[in-house]
Structures are given as C-alpha cells and as structure tokens.
C-alpha cells in the first residue's frame, strides 16, 4: 500500500496556491525521510484569466526547484473539465522527467471524455491516475459504471473520492467491491474529514487491500480538509506497519499547524451538515466566508437543500408603479460619516421630504429616526436581527426590502415590519455581488426609477491597518457603483467624505 | 439510546473548571431544545487545598442556578480515588433533588472499593454510573473481570472509557462482548478523539446496541478531547434518527468555538502518538504546556515510553569534590539586564576570576565570551540547540550540566561540548519545577558547595502586558529562590535591577 501526500495541491484552496518557499522546502526535505511515495504539488492549467498562485500553474521552473530538493515522485493534477485531450501535449510535455504521475479530477458524468484525455497523457509517458469524484453517487451513474472497464487500458490508479466527506466504512467497502467487479486497475482512496471519518474510512480501505491512499499534513485541504498525514503515519507506525523519524515529520507539521491558525481549515458545524447530507462544500465555503450570513442561516439553508425544501414565503413585490414618485434617494451605508454629520443630513432630509432614505446597512438607522422622509431597510441574510438590535425593541418606522425569492438563506423580518416587507423581482444590473446590501439598495433605486441619488456612510477605509475583508468590501462597492454610473447614467453623489472614486464628491453643507 | 453531554465537566480541564455564566446559560438553554438526556456539569469533591473552580466543587447554589435554567437531568461525577464510601453522604445528600445521576471515574484496579462507594451513592437515591477507565487494558485485569457481575446490584450504567483515545471499532465490539458476558447492566461509551476515531467508535457502539454515549460541545475535554456533540447529532439527524433545531445547537457551538481558539483543545501530533500507543495523555498535556521541551523531544519521549526504551546515555557525574573550589558563582538568567550592564559585569568577573559563571539560559551567553572565568551551561530539553544557535557555529567555551539520568526527553549536547558534558546526580532541594533551568543552576550551586551567589538576568517582568506564561515563570523562580534562601542559608544577590523579592538587591557598580 502506497501513500500520496497532496498538501500543497489541496491546501492551495486556502492560500490561492501560493506557499512560502521555506515552508515548501521544509515540507519536501521532511518527506524525503518519510514513507510516502508520491507528492502531489499542484495543478497544471491553461491560463484562467485571474490571479491564481504558483502551485495552480506549476511552471517548469517551479517544478525544477521542487525536483532539486525532493527525492520523491512528484505528481500534478488536471481539472478534467478544463482540459481537452488536444491541450495535453502543450500542457504536459514541458514537465516530462520532472513529474512522474498526472492525476485527473473527473466528474463521473464526463468519464467518457476523460478516457480520451487519459490516453493522451499516457502516450506522453506519465503514470495516470483517475480521481473520480462523488463516490457516494456512483451506484446511480449507469453510463459511468458501464465505462469503468475501459480504465484498464489507460490508467495506473483509479481513485474513489469522497467529495462530500459523507461516506462511512461500509460505503467504502461497498464501493471497492463495486469497482473491483468492473476493473482490475489499482485502486485509490481520497477521503475528506467533514465527519472526522477520514481515518476510519481510510483504514477500512487499507483493510480491503487498497493500493494507494491520500493524506495531507494537518489535513490541509478544501473545506473541512483531508485525512491528516501525521495521523495516518502515527497509526500505521503504532500498528508496526512502518517506521520513520518523528522529528522530520514534526518539522513540517509545525509549519502547517501555524498556517492552520491563520486559515482555519478543518471541520465545523456547516461542513458537518454538508458532509452528513452530501451537499457540495464549495458552496459552504463561500457562505462561511460571507460576512452577512449567520452560521444559523447557513445551517438552515443546508438543511433545506438536503431536504429539497424552501422554507421562506414569497413576499409581495414592491409595486413601485403604484408608489408615489420620489424626487430622489439617499442611500445610507454603515460608515461613521452618516452619524458624525447627522444634524446636517437630517436638516437636508427635512428640507427635502420627497427624498426617500434607503438603508443599505442597519448600523446608522437610529440617526434617521426623526426625519419625516419615507425609509426603507435592505435586509439580506441576518440583517433583520441586526436591525432589531439597533432599535432595541422600539418600533421600527419604515418598510423593508428583501432579495428576490427564493432566498436560500431563509427570510427573517423584524416583527414590527411584517406588514411592510417587500421583495425585489430580481437583481439584474450586476453579475457580481448580487446578494450584497449595496446591490439591493441600488437595484431598488432602479426599480423606483430615481435618477437623483445621494449617498452617505460610504466612507471607504483609511489608516495603516485596512483589513483584507474591508479591502474586499471596498472593491465590491466600487464595482457596483461603476455599473450604475456607466450603464444607467445615474450620478451617485456622496454628501459626506468618501474614498470611493466611483462616487461624485459633494458636501451636505452646500445643500442646506 | 441516550446521549449525555459532559462539556462543562470534561471541558473544565482546560479552564480549571471556571466558566463564564453567560456561556453556561446559553449552553443550558440550547440543550433544553436538543435530544440529549443528561448533562454532566462537574465534579463534587472534598476540599483539595488548591484553587479549583466552580464546576470542580459544584456547590449547592451553583447546582440550584443550573437547575433553574435546565430541564435536563443533571449529573455530577466523583473521582473514586479521592472519595471514600464514608464521605458519600456529606458530599451528596446536599444535592439530592438537584442532581439525578452520580457517575464515578474508576481505575479498574480499585473496582472493589468502588462497589462499596456505589452502594452508598445508590442508597442516597441517585442513579449510579460507573465510568471505568483504560478499557484497552481490561482483558488483562483478572480481578476486575471477576468483579464485573457485582455491578448489577449497584449501577444503572457501566461505561467503557477509552482513556488513551487509542481504541478502534473492533476493540469497541470486543469490549462490549466482554462486558456483556459478565453483566446485564446498561452499557455506556466515552470516547476520546486522539486518533479522530471518537465518532467511528461511538457509531460502532451504537450499532452494537449500547444504551448511552458521551459527547461534548466542540469536543472540549481533557487533552485531545472528546466526541463532538454537534457531530454526533448531525450524523444521527442525517440518518433520520433524531431531529432538533440547528439554530439552538449552533448558539452554544459558537460560544465554545471561540473558547477553543483560546485554549486550543483537540488532537495534535503528541496526542496522536499517545493515543496510538496507549500512553497517558495527562503527561502529554504537561509536557506540551512546558516551554522548554520541543515538540520533537516530546514525540521522542513518548515513542521511547511506548517502546520501554531509554535513548540517552549516562553522562559522567560532575565530581565537584575533585574540581577546584570556587569563591562564588554568578547565575545568569535570560533577562535583558545581563546584557545591558555587560561591561560592568565583565569587569566584576575579570576582577574575581575565581567566580564561576552558571548560565541558566543560553540567551545571554555571548555577552560573557571574553571573561576568563569558568563557565557552565545548564541544558534542559531543547536548550542545547538554542545554545548552538546563539554561538552560530563558533566553538562554545565551557562545560554543560544536564538533569539527572535518565532524561525522558532525551539528551542533546552541542558537538563542541561533548567531552565536557556532565549530569547532576539528583535535584533534591525542591519538589516543584525540578526540571526547570533555574532548578538545575541552583542545584549545581549546592553541589559545588558555593555559599556566595550572585545573580543577573533575573529581572522579572514589568509593564501592563505581563503574559500568563511570564507570570507563571516568575512564580516558579520565586519559589526556587525561596527554597535555597530558607533551607540552605545562602544569600542570592542580584547585581542588576530585579523584581524578584526573594533576591537581595545590590548593584554591580558598587563592586567594581
């Protein structure tokens, strides 16, 4: 039984495939002393038109550097969906002699196409491994099952991948039996750790005589991560099956333990739910990294998905045609300028009662309690709870606008607004960041056919310690503002200081 | 099958059994909505003569407060080794009506004695559970095995505890069969997560028809921790075996996830090694929290223990009788005063060439390179490597002193000192902190029969941000200094500024 460590490749999901050179060096040197046969160090890929790091493209120079340190067989993986057989030569012939094995991540639905790619990779002289995803669904994939015998001609290893991290030892046994009934190719297992079953499943696979298993240092890998290499080695060592210098192992484990504290891979409640219910963890990762969805909403959405359930009701669409026509709108963001200039903004609104106030954030809502203008609150995800916290039990005057139905994260509307809750028909002006509060506020402007738009509370960030999340949010908002400006000829005028270059600067004090 | 959550009791190992009241309140309220029958909230204990928190003693008022919030059956546990049958009434009768079940943590070697305690607990009206430790060793415990049938009279549950966190599903099956062959009492399982096998083992136990299983929120518990309650519930939910509101679960999971980032329970390489090789994790916890043992040393020591191996050689004992007699000693700590006053200290040493320099820390060693005095380096754990780093390859002039043989953490001596390495016969002047550098330095003083001792580099800590570790180290050193002062009538004179009140203040400038 062989072991393949794919820390750099699978861990790249957290670092965008960039790793500090020292960490990689220590990793390679440690593994020179460990009973692991293959090291998968990244993807090879066509240009993707966005920034992806060193180990997503694995340029020849990078592989040469790795090869000069490592005595192990190096492996790269291809995303089958992005690579055609015709591209194989240009992608792989430059790395002949540097890389021993090429793996392919394959959706069973594309298995036929994968067979042609594999034939081409084999012709170029590489060992070939099929990493076939979604093992828990294979029993239903008739066409795929019929094609499995064809792998004998083109593959050295056929991997079962527990993509959802939801299989149990009995499933591993059953799937091994299923595949063995169709092919004599060597078998592999790649487990995920959503349910902390990666070791139990891998030991089962080993017990069933599997030929190769995957692991990563500290389990670093997409979502909940993988079987931990140090755990597998320790257990096999204690069973007397292999021996190695613990000092070498612990050097690289130390490095990745430190990285883990920053990136925090590993399982948690949402990953457990997605694993236990076979839901794609890619979506879970996206949701978890979003600021405006609570853990609760994510769990509920996952549960709903697994049960094919929609737990929210359709709200009336705000029929703006029947509403009164507004002379303009003031969109209020969460920045401090909306409250630090509150007196003059209130004066401006009192002077212009036909301007509607749209709160993109609940944060500053209280500052506008005493103006006569109509007010709307944009409620994405958990924002209804935040709005209630801001008003601390007192009645909220206004209406709320929610994203279009169905809202996969569910619907929460503060009690005092239940009769004044509306949803947008759609968010169309942008392809990106559609579920952000700013997108909701701007789409409302379009629906209301308002052309005069004032802004406050969109300050941007200053100082020497702008966080990654702030920077991301800033770029999101810039993008949304530019869409409105460029395609709808609406000027967005900031009444308070702002660093958003897509907003036109002006001063509330010039308007009162 | 019932579930018992013991987060507060077992998690207390990390918090010294103190928990924020809000966290406990949320925990109890969440569990009111969850399909968990019992909540174990702490120990009851005789006064232990040291500070242990609220949930180690569980005073009546505390239990009343919990009971007023919780609708679940409350449980406390007794350490059988600390409680005699005669004490049961005074300990337990005050909590009748508040607590439903009393568990007892039992070493199988004390099983007979435990039976009498259990009878007494039962008489007081409580449900009784036996938590019998070290399940992986039971097959060899003849006397215990013969006594098992007696539990039928006194116990409601008989728990198998995977104390080392090293059992596998087959072991669970075998042990259940073993116990079932001896008693009809209801069975329980308490798993640990060193090898991430807690869920796999617990599911096996459930499959074998076990009656009750333990879990803790986020796995919080001694050492590597336990089966995670949220994982068990999620898996049983996905299997359609139970249902519950995820929102309630995630509230308390959120709290403990935050705590985990501070205390960092969970498995890691040393816990894996201790689990896989059935070594007590109490010792691992102590080693891991020590500053002066490297991860490498711990792994090596654990491996040695598991193989019954001593990997270091006996060094010659420094026969001080044959050495020249010194007029005095200067002990050098790691604080900055030793280098900031380096010129005057050097002058003092040059003026007094018969004073020996003993380096308790390698940190300031370089400042003393050019004095003619004899120098000794105290090397505990990883310190030999640090000393080499300080000298960066250049020869180290002097001798080194190591702790008494056998050193369970192994022996590392810098190459240039191999012929000048000695060990102490024993460290006797203190019961506490024997393996610290300061203890080694002070024991050397005693062995050398030196009565005039100067100190530098023991500054203490100042400012508003003294860390917990610094505080701990400060108290350790104070304790060691006081032992020397009080029992050996040796004055310890600090030549540089110090906050250690056990040192006599003086100035190097008055002596040159």
């Amino acid at each position: 039984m062989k072991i393949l460590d794919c820390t750099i490749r699978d861990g790249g999901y957290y670092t965008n495939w960039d790793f500090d050179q020292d960490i990689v060096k220590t990793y390679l040197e440690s593994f020179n002393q460990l009973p692991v046969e293959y090291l998968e160090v990244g993807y090879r890929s066509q240009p993707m038109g966005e920034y992806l790091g060193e180990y997503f493209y694995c340029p020849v120079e990078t592989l040469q550097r790795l090869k000069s340190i490592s005595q192990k067989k190096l492996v790269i993986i291809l995303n089958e969906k992005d690579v055609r057989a015709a591209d194989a030569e240009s992608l792989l012939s430059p790395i002949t002699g540097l890389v021993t094995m090429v793996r392919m991540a394959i959706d069973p639905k594309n298995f036929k196409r994968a067979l042609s790619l594999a034939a081409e990779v084999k012709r170029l002289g590489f060992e070939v491994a099929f990493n076939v995803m979604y093992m828990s669904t294979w029993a239903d994939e008739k066409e795929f099952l019929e094609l499995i015998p064809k792998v004998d001609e083109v593959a050295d290893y056929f991997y079962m991948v527990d993509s959802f991290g939801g299989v149990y030892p009995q499933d591993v046994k059953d799937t091994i039996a299923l595949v063995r009934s169709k092919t004599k190719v060597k078998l592999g297992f790649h487990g995920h750790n959503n349910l902390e079953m990666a070791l139990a499943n891998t030991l089962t696979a080993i017990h069933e005589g599997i030929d190769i298993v995957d692991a990563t240092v500290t389990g670093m890998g997409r979502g909940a991560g993988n079987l931990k290499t140090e755990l597998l080695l320790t257990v096999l060592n204690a069973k007397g099956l292999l021996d190695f210098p613990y000092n070498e192992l612990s050097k690289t484990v130390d490095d990745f333990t430190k990285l883990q504290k920053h990136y925090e891979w590993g399982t948690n409640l949402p990953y457990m739910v997605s694993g236990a219910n076979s839901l794609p963890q890619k979506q879970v990762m996206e949701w978890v990294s979003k600021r405006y969805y609570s853990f609760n909403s994510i769990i509920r959405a996952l549960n709903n998905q697994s049960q094919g359930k929609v737990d929210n009701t359709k709200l009336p669409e705000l029929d703006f045609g029947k509403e009164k026509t507004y002379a303009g709108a003031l969109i209020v963001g969460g920045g401090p300028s909306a409250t630090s200039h509150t007196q003059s903004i209130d004066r401006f609104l009192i002077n212009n009662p036909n301007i509607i106030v749209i709160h993109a954030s609940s944060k500053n809502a209280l500052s506008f309690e005493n103006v006569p203008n109509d007010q709307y609150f944009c409620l994405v995800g958990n924002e209804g709870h935040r709005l209630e916290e801001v008003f601390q039990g007192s009645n909220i005057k206004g209406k709320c606008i929610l994203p279009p139905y169905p809202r996969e994260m569910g619907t929460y509307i503060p009690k005092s607004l239940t009769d004044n809750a509306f949803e947008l028909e759609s968010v169309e002006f942008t392809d990106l960041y559609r579920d952000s509060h700013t997108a909701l506020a701007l789409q409302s402007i379009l629906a209301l056919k308002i052309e005069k738009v004032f802004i406050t509370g969109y300050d941007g960030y200053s100082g020497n310690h702008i966080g990654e999340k702030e920077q991301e949010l800033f770029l999101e908002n810039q993008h949304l503002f530019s869409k409105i400006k460029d395609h709808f000829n609406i000027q967005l005028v900031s009444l308070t200081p702002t660093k958003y270059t897509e907003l036109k600067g002006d001063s509330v004090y010039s308007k009162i």
Side-chain angles (χ1 to χ4, degrees), chain A:
Chain A
M1 195 269 305
K2 292 171 179 169
I3 300 172
L4 180 149
D5 185 281
C6 48
T7 308
I8 305 296
R9 193 274 298 180
D10 213 343
Y13 280 96
Y14 277 92
T15 66
N16 203 14
W17 290 278
D18 278 324
F19 286 91
D20 183 89
Q21 282 210 15
D22 288 340
I23 286 179
V24 174
K25 187 161 175 281
T26 301
Y27 167 81
L28 295 171
E29 287 171 349
S30 289
F31 273 86
N32 280 341
Q33 313 283 330
L34 298 176
V36 167
E37 180 128 349
Y38 294 96
L39 301 181
E40 186 173 77
V41 294
Y43 287 89
R44 281 283 282 185
S45 177
Q46 310 285 359
M48 301 289 279
E50 60 174 318
Y51 185 78
L52 289 154
E54 181 174 14
Y55 299 93
F56 193 81
Y57 290 106
C58 282
V60 171
E61 274 190 25
T62 298
L63 291 171
Q64 282 169 337
R65 196 184 78 236
L66 304 186
K67 190 73 185 168
S68 74
I69 306 170
S70 179
Q71 293 147 21
K72 300 289 174 165
K73 293 176 185 161
L74 300 186
V75 181
I76 59 100
I77 195 166
L78 305 175
N79 266 330
E80 188 279 336
K81 75 176 164 56
D82 298 327
V83 181
R84 293 294 79 81
D87 307 324
E89 182 151 0
S90 66
L91 214 50
L92 299 179
S93 65
I95 62 169
T96 318
L98 295 170
V99 159
T100 306
M101 182 156 76
V102 172
R103 304 211 292 183
M104 307 186 314
I106 301 165
D107 184 328
K109 297 204 187 309
N110 300 326
F111 196 73
K112 197 170 177 183
R113 195 176 62 190
L115 287 166
S116 352
L117 175 58
E120 193 57 17
V121 176
K122 194 80 200 156
R123 191 184 67 75
L124 292 163
F126 297 95
E127 291 181 26
V128 173
F130 279 47
N131 274 35
V132 189
M133 301 186 280
Y134 316 124
M135 63 180 275
S136 54
T137 69
W138 290 358
D140 302 325
E141 298 278 353
K142 293 271 179 298
E143 198 190 324
F144 161 65
L145 292 176
E146 277 169 28
L147 287 170
I148 291 183
K150 302 248 182 217
V151 297
D152 287 340
E153 301 153 30
V154 289
D156 297 276
Y157 294 103
F158 184 96
Y159 264 90
M160 312 177 295
V161 181
D162 174 18
S163 303
F164 302 124
V167 307
Y168 297 94
Q170 188 58 48
D171 304 316
V172 173
K173 280 189 200 176
D174 294 346
T175 311
I176 289 177
L178 177 71
V179 179
R180 283 233 174 98
S181 72
K182 312 234 170 238
T183 170
K184 296 214 176 313
V185 75
K186 286 182 187 160
L187 294 190
F189 178 67
H190 179 97
H192 288 134
N193 212 27
N194 297 58
L195 305 181
E196 297 191 343
M197 291 299 287
L199 178 65
N201 288 332
T202 301
L203 290 178
T204 301
I206 293 171
H207 188 258
E208 296 293 306
I210 204 139
D211 301 286
I212 189 165
V213 297
D214 284 9
T216 65
V217 178
T218 65
M220 187 180 196
R222 192 170 183 167
N226 303 84
L227 171 60
K228 297 175 173 74
T229 305
E230 65 273 27
L231 179 59
L232 179 64
L233 293 180
T234 298
V235 164
L236 296 180
N237 171 261
K239 287 175 184 283
L241 297 174
L242 44 79
D243 203 8
F244 57 89
Y246 264 95
N247 287 356
E248 287 303 319
L249 176 61
S250 78
K251 276 182 202 164
T252 187
V253 167
D254 277 356
D255 280 345
F256 285 96
T257 300
K258 277 176 213 141
L259 270 192
Q260 197 278 338
K261 293 204 195 308
H262 179 68
Y263 292 105
E264 301 192 337
W265 59 85
T267 199
N268 58 31
L269 191 47
Y271 287 138
M272 290 172 193
V273 177
S274 74
N277 298 287
S278 293
L279 301 165
Q281 66 180 8
K282 187 182 172 202
Q283 188 163 30
V284 183
M285 275 185 91
E286 278 170 19
W287 284 341
V288 168
S289 68
K290 284 267 162 69
R291 294 164 302 282
Y292 36 84
Y293 295 130
S294 72
F295 207 80
N296 279 1
S297 320
I298 294 169
I299 300 286
R300 195 172 49 218
L302 285 170
N303 260 328
N304 289 345
Q305 259 195 32
S306 78
Q307 296 162 19
K309 201 170 82 179
V310 176
D311 85 336
N312 47 56
T313 44
K314 197 154 170 19
L315 298 171
E317 266 169 43
L318 193 52
D319 185 347
F320 288 111
K322 286 181 194 160
E323 298 284 317
K324 62 178 176 176
T325 312
Y326 293 104
L330 173 69
I331 298 179
V332 184
S337 72
T339 44
S340 55
H341 300 276
T342 186
Q343 281 195 309
S344 46
I345 297 171
D346 280 5
R347 170 54 49 215
F348 170 72
L349 289 171
I350 291 163
N351 291 350
N352 297 278
N354 208 17
I355 283 183
I356 177 186
V357 179
I358 299 180
H359 295 276
S361 160
S362 306
K363 207 166 176 185
N364 295 315
L366 222 49
S367 300
F368 296 81
E369 228 185 350
N370 299 318
V371 297
N373 308 54
D374 285 356
Q375 299 195 35
Y376 287 80
F377 300 96
C378 296
L379 302 183
V380 180
N382 211 34
E383 197 66 20
H385 291 284
R386 278 190 216 114
L387 187 62
E388 282 187 324
E389 274 168 32
V390 167
F391 279 91
Q392 296 188 353
S394 71
N395 260 1
I396 305 165
K397 276 178 297 180
K399 298 176 179 178
C400 60
I401 307 173
L402 283 89
Y405 177 89
R407 293 165 291 279
E408 49 194 1
M409 291 297 175
T411 298
Y412 181 79
I413 299 163
K415 287 214 179 58
S416 60
L417 294 179
T418 35
D419 296 333
N420 283 301
F422 303 91
E423 63 182 36
L424 287 174
E425 193 190 348
S426 59
V427 174
E428 283 173 335
F429 77 95
T430 175
D431 282 335
L432 295 171
Y433 323 126
R434 276 178 164 170
D435 47 0
S436 75
H437 281 91
T438 303
L440 207 63
L442 293 171
Q443 185 69 48
S444 305
I445 296 298
L446 296 177
L448 278 164
K449 298 189 176 61
I450 293 174
E451 284 165 19
K452 207 164 185 168
V453 180
F454 301 99
I455 305 268
T456 184
Y458 280 85
D459 306 352
Y461 303 94
S462 53
N464 292 318
H465 298 285
I466 299 170
E468 211 172 315
K469 296 227 158 162
E470 282 79 20
Q471 174 69 1
E472 211 176 279
L473 185 59
F474 183 82
L475 294 174
E476 270 183 38
N477 290 338
Q478 282 276 81
H479 177 86
L480 296 172
F481 293 147
S482 77
K483 284 278 174 188
I484 293 292
K485 228 178 61 176
D486 300 348
H487 298 292
F488 299 93
N489 202 20
I490 295 176
Q491 277 240 328
L492 305 170
V493 177
S494 182
L495 298 178
T496 45
T498 183
K499 294 190 183 296
Y500 284 96
T501 52
E502 298 289 338
L503 299 179
K504 188 181 174 324
D506 203 331
S507 169
V508 66
Y509 297 98
S510 74
K511 305 203 175 289
I512 52 175

